Amino acid sequence: MGQINRKLMHKDAPIGVFDSGVGGLTVAREIMRQIPNEKIIYFGDTARVPYGSKSQETVTRYSEQIVRFLRTFQVKTIVVACNTASAYALDSLEQDIDIPIIGVVKPGAKTATEVTRNGKIGVIATEATIGSQMYTKYIKNLNKDVTIYGKACPLFVPLVEEGLWEDPVTDEIARRYLTELIDIDIDTLILGCTHYPLIRSTLGRIMGDKVTLVNPAYETAIELKQMLARMDMLNDETPALGSNKYQFYVSDKAEKFVRFANSIIKYGILSAKAVNIEEY
């Protein structure tokens, strides 16, 4: 990470959170739950979703534009709430930024390494995240004796975005994807895409009680809280009513994003503004 400029940081400044679309709302939701005094500026790149099928160069360029946009709000830290962007762009972003920035891959990898008992960890994610081998890299750095089994599950994202969280179709697709991981006898499964916590009950039922599900959205919120506490940057005061505590921005049509956001975040009716991210 570049040199942190504490002069730029204020306790009551917002946290910037971004994702390729709506999946990162599961990360924002966990931040709201775990650190309720914090303000959040969320950006969903709805015009250019999905990131999972794009090159590292393209994802990095998109991420850099979004970081520049979030910096206009004087955010005190940035959370890359997208597994693909965390895998492809985080190292580059860390070099260029003078405020703390964290992704969702490392916290999930750390927790999975701590909770596995038989050393067999499964990772389900987009093709890009699986192909990047980032979970494998981080886990192997922590424990070289662990074996990681990656499985791309591309149909989960459209199923989640269609609201089919509890549906026979989702059950059937999940069983097809997960059968080989069950046969391998993994005891830990990382939900390596921010959409996947929304079908956690389905995944848990299919994997069974002996498999621990690791939700990187939750683990990232906990790590963020700990990092801000270490830096004495947790917001001490509850933001006043009407202070735009949570603001949402998208790069294309806001209506579908708002419907989805309201279905998973129970903090009043949300609105979102569309911005031309290519200007940043």
Side-chain angles (χ1 to χ4, degrees):
M1 187 178 290
Q3 186 66 36
I4 299 299
N5 189 341
R6 289 177 179 274
K7 291 180 181 177
L8 295 176
M9 298 171 64
H10 301 279
K11 284 188 177 184
D12 64 347
I15 294 165
V17 180
F18 79 87
D19 179 52
S20 57
V22 298
L25 289 166
T26 60
V27 179
R29 180 175 67 175
E30 290 296 344
I31 295 170
M32 293 170 186
R33 286 173 174 168
Q34 304 303 326
I35 343 176
N37 281 358
E38 299 297 337
K39 298 182 235 177
I40 295 173
I41 307 291
Y42 181 98
F43 180 84
D45 200 359
T46 49
R48 304 184 295 197
V49 68
Y51 282 9
S53 55
K54 294 179 172 62
S55 69
Q56 180 167 1
E57 181 183 21
T58 297
V59 171
T60 300
R61 179 168 62 83
Y62 290 174
S63 300
E64 288 169 346
Q65 288 178 321
I66 296 164
V67 165
R68 287 194 286 272
F69 169 71
L70 291 173
R71 293 300 299 271
T72 67
F73 294 91
Q74 282 76 52
V75 294
K76 62 184 176 184
T77 186
I78 290 176
V79 178
V80 185
C82 170
N83 281 269
T84 303
S86 294
Y88 277 176
L90 185 61
D91 288 346
S92 173
L93 295 173
E94 284 182 332
Q95 302 301 318
D96 300 334
I97 199 166
D98 55 1
I99 59 172
I101 181 166
I102 66 172
V104 290
V105 175
K106 287 182 183 177
K110 179 172 176 284
T111 299
T113 308
E114 291 168 352
V115 301
T116 185
R117 301 174 306 282
N118 69 4
K120 295 180 179 181
I121 298 174
V123 181
I124 53 173
T126 64
E127 291 174 10
T129 300
I130 297 299
S132 75
Q133 295 282 302
M134 288 302 281
Y135 275 105
T136 299
K137 177 179 146 189
Y138 289 135
I139 292 170
K140 287 289 190 182
N141 281 343
L142 295 167
N143 183 347
K144 66 181 188 318
D145 297 325
V146 168
T147 307
I148 300 98
Y149 303 90
K151 176 68 179 175
C153 301
L155 290 176
F156 281 165
V157 169
L159 288 168
V160 167
E161 293 197 3
E162 286 300 320
L164 301 175
W165 305 349
E166 299 276 351
D167 190 275
V169 173
T170 306
D171 268 33
E172 175 61 25
I173 296 297
R175 286 183 196 284
R176 291 192 186 195
Y177 282 150
L178 298 175
T179 295
E180 65 186 77
L181 296 177
I182 295 169
D183 291 345
I184 290 165
D185 194 32
I186 64 166
D187 74 351
T188 304
L189 180 65
I190 298 173
L191 310 186
C193 171
T194 49
H195 283 73
Y196 298 177
L198 296 171
I199 54 170
R200 180 179 181 140
S201 62
T202 296
L203 301 175
R205 187 173 65 252
I206 291 169
M207 295 307 299
D209 295 339
K210 294 180 180 178
V211 176
T212 301
L213 301 187
V214 174
N215 176 4
Y218 171 79
E219 304 302 339
T220 300
I222 295 299
E223 180 155 313
L224 174 65
K225 182 177 182 178
Q226 292 169 346
M227 182 189 77
L228 291 175
R230 284 195 305 271
M231 301 178 72
D232 193 27
M233 290 304 298
L234 284 169
N235 193 8
D236 300 325
E237 300 179 5
T238 304
L241 288 173
S243 63
N244 274 342
K245 185 178 179 183
Y246 304 133
Q247 298 179 51
F248 299 85
Y249 296 86
V250 292
S251 52
D252 199 14
K253 298 175 182 177
E255 296 82 3
K256 185 177 180 182
F257 175 90
V258 169
R259 281 198 304 274
F260 192 86
N262 279 322
S263 71
I264 68 168
I265 297 177
K266 311 301 183 185
Y267 293 94
I269 300 300
L270 303 175
S271 61
K273 295 178 185 174
V275 297
N276 183 2
I277 196 64
E278 297 286 3
E279 294 178 350
Y280 292 86

